[in-house]
Amino acid sequence: MNLKDMFKKTSGRSHYISLRNSRPEVPTGLLRKCNKCGAAIIAEDVKNGYYICPKCHGYFRVHAYRRIEMIADEGSFEEWDREIEFVNPLDFKGYEEKIRHLKERTNLNEAVVTGKVLINGNPAVVGVCDGRFMMASMGWIVGEKIARAVERATQEKLPVIIFTCSGGARMQEGIVSLMQMAKTSAALKKHSDAGQLYVSVLTDPTTGGVTASFAMLGDIILAEPKALIGFAGPRVIEQTIGQKLPKGFQRSEFLLDHGFVDRIVEREELKDVLAQILEMHRLADASEVKAALKDEAKQNADDQSETVKEQIKDSLDAWERVQISRKKDRPVGTDYIDSLFTDFMELHGDRYFKDDHAIVGGIAYFHGIPVTVIAQAKGKTTKENLDRNFSMPSPDGYRKALRLMKQAEKFSRPVICFVDTPGAFCGLEAEERGQGEAIARNLFELSGLRVPVLSVVIGEGGSGGALAMAVADEVWMLENAVYSVLSPEGFASILWKDSKRASEAAEVMKLTAGDLKRLGIIEQVIPEPEGFTDENMEGVCVDLDGRIAAFLENYTEYSADELIERRYDRFRKM
């Protein structure tokens, strides 16, 4: 082997490794140079390793049919609309010849492949963009193939998964290319209105008109690590603003932090993640669901022999309960998610500005039933509390919670919320982004949510920041949780101009679980053991498990209109 040829670049398309032995991009000797880290890599290892550099873990771009092989059950792919006659709406000179050359070179009809697959036995419609074909720019055929696939998925009541990779609009088709953004978005709207699932998987690069249409419309948006994702290209932005962009700008991780991506998924786990998402959105057998809930509810009823009044320890005063609710070793929202639910998949972001870590939410199973779970989450260490802003949500957190609630409504999933916050975050940026509007919007939308909603106050229930996640069919409280219009310290400062009278204020405010049960503000009080921590929470979780099962058994019997009317009546009486 000639050593000077070892790292020879044999194709201008260095992001790809060819699948076809007849035209290899790998030099003689099976070695090539990683275009990301410069290391010598064995091409066969890359092909067998999900097209990932074994040295730097950089991702090579993947051909459409190879991508389908990576996620589909063997032999399950059924291609749709492979051949669509070429169009040149602007009679652009040289365009037809260029397309003919690309067809011969790539063995593709156009820049997207569509069809039907099984993913771990779950049926889905897929569309996969292939950047080898004019950088997967969207012309009429690309828009038409995607629209047809989505329309057929709507008719057949199937979920849609689209892998995006595009430079945006196709210049050779001008305004006709632009219209494909509207066409594909409209098709997805009809699919969504039919109650069907759409998962968007963003790969490198996803830019321009594709980003501004079907790429960002997923019910769930996944992304590969470090993928370039944005509307305008980085060079265009730099030229416009006259300055260098920060490192990591417009990458997947940047979009995750800014609330536009639900999850970054490594290629090795992508098939399993997609299968889990599809499985969670399949319609469950109603009789099996009711049987499971009935068994759990009956077990709980058999285990409870004491009355709530007997269970509540009268020896503690209101201020002592306030202090217990704030204890650092008290179980937090994520502890309840881990203990009560299985297969929890966290979803991130509000789709507007940020992923607020003060609120954790996603999809999980409760005894085999898909539910949406949302928790105001305190941390267990100083570092975690700083990251979660001490469970004081920003407007972005409330908008994330509302997005997940509306998603639950679309897919008929019950919503279970865990409330634990000293209050909504008060700060300059919170006011700039509309803290009051975000809370008000949650109250407005929750009152009319067409699925069962349960809220459990597990620690502090601070003012409107707590209420924004507690406009529910029922509200429960743990025995030493508190729920009030504001903190006792704030109450004493406002009314008596003396925050040192907080303990006196706590008694006056009637903020304990027992007080609120007597006032008719809450429905149930959950007993706690003394010295309640995450080390001895098993008994509480067993109790909660049965109560939640009974709640779901009861409230899933109501129609959507009945739920809304009962919820309205509940608050109308207060």
Side-chain angles (χ1 to χ4, degrees), residues 359 376 391-394 397-398 401 418-425 435 439-440 442-443 460-470 483-486:
I359 287 183
Q376 292 170 325
S391 193
M392 293 184 290
S394 66
Y398 291 115
F418 295 94
V419 177
D420 188 11
T421 178
F425 179 57
Q435 185 70 287
I439 292 171
N442 277 30
L443 307 184
E460 294 180 274
S463 193
L467 183 61
M469 286 179 54
Y483 190 11
S484 61
V485 67
L486 79 168

Side-chain angles (χ1 to χ4, degrees), residues 106-342:
T106 64
N107 198 31
L108 295 168
N109 172 259
E110 250 293 349
V112 67
V113 175
T114 60
K116 181 179 175 181
V117 297
L118 294 176
I119 303 177
N120 288 356
N122 298 285
V125 172
V126 296
V128 183
C129 298
D130 194 319
R132 294 174 300 157
F133 203 105
M134 296 195 73
M135 201 47 245
S137 55
M138 182 161 60
W140 182 84
I141 293 179
V142 170
E144 185 67 14
K145 290 184 75 169
I146 290 173
R148 288 186 191 182
V150 173
E151 288 167 353
R152 189 166 169 183
T154 306
Q155 292 168 359
E156 298 185 17
K157 298 182 179 179
L158 291 171
V160 171
I161 302 169
I162 299 180
F163 289 82
T164 66
C165 168
S166 179
R170 187 168 297 179
M171 296 298 101
Q172 292 86 342
E173 296 188 24
I175 191 71
V176 174
S177 174
L178 186 69
M179 293 303 108
Q180 305 314 304
M181 296 168 61
K183 180 163 76 178
T184 54
S185 299
L188 286 166
K189 178 66 167 70
K190 291 185 73 172
H191 183 260
S192 179
D193 288 347
Q196 301 305 313
L197 171 70
Y198 170 40
V199 180
S200 178
V201 185
L202 311 179
T203 73
D204 182 63
T206 297
T207 61
V210 168
T211 301
S213 57
F214 63 86
M216 302 305 294
L217 294 176
D219 295 298
I220 296 174
I221 300 179
L222 308 177
E224 290 193 328
K226 297 182 173 61
L228 174 67
I229 304 161
F231 178 58
R235 281 180 293 181
V236 173
I237 297 172
E238 286 182 339
Q239 289 167 6
T240 302
I241 67 176
Q243 62 188 61
K244 292 288 288 182
L245 297 173
K247 186 177 181 181
F249 182 77
Q250 289 187 311
R251 296 290 168 177
S252 304
E253 295 73 16
F254 177 88
L255 268 75
L256 181 69
D257 290 342
H258 285 78
F260 294 101
V261 169
D262 282 295
R263 179 173 173 179
I264 294 174
V265 184
E266 298 281 352
R267 257 182 212 163
E268 301 96 315
E269 60 174 345
L270 186 56
K271 180 176 181 178
D272 289 338
V273 170
L274 288 172
Q276 183 182 354
I277 292 170
L278 295 176
E279 188 67 37
M280 283 180 151
H281 288 82
R282 293 182 73 170
L283 288 175
D285 184 279
S287 59
E288 291 181 6
V289 168
K290 289 178 181 178
L293 291 174
K294 193 169 186 177
D295 288 345
E296 288 301 317
K298 184 178 185 302
Q299 180 66 41
N300 179 67
D302 292 343
D303 290 344
Q304 289 183 344
S305 56
E306 298 177 290
T307 66
V308 168
K309 185 175 180 181
E310 289 169 340
Q311 291 168 334
I312 296 175
K313 304 173 188 67
D314 293 327
S315 59
L316 297 176
D317 63 31
W319 181 241
E320 287 174 318
R321 294 190 193 278
V322 170
Q323 293 175 308
I324 292 172
S325 75
R326 297 172 176 175
K327 287 185 69 174
K328 293 180 180 179
D329 58 354
R330 188 175 177 84
V332 297
T334 51
D335 291 324
Y336 291 94
I337 292 175
D338 292 341
S339 298
L340 290 166
F341 307 94
T342 56

Side-chain angles (χ1 to χ4, degrees), residues 82-98:
R82 178 176 174 85
E83 299 295 334
I84 295 182
E85 188 174 345
F86 170 75
V87 295
N88 188 358
L90 305 185
D91 293 324
F92 195 89
K93 187 178 179 180
Y95 183 35
E96 185 171 5
E97 183 181 349
K98 185 176 183 69

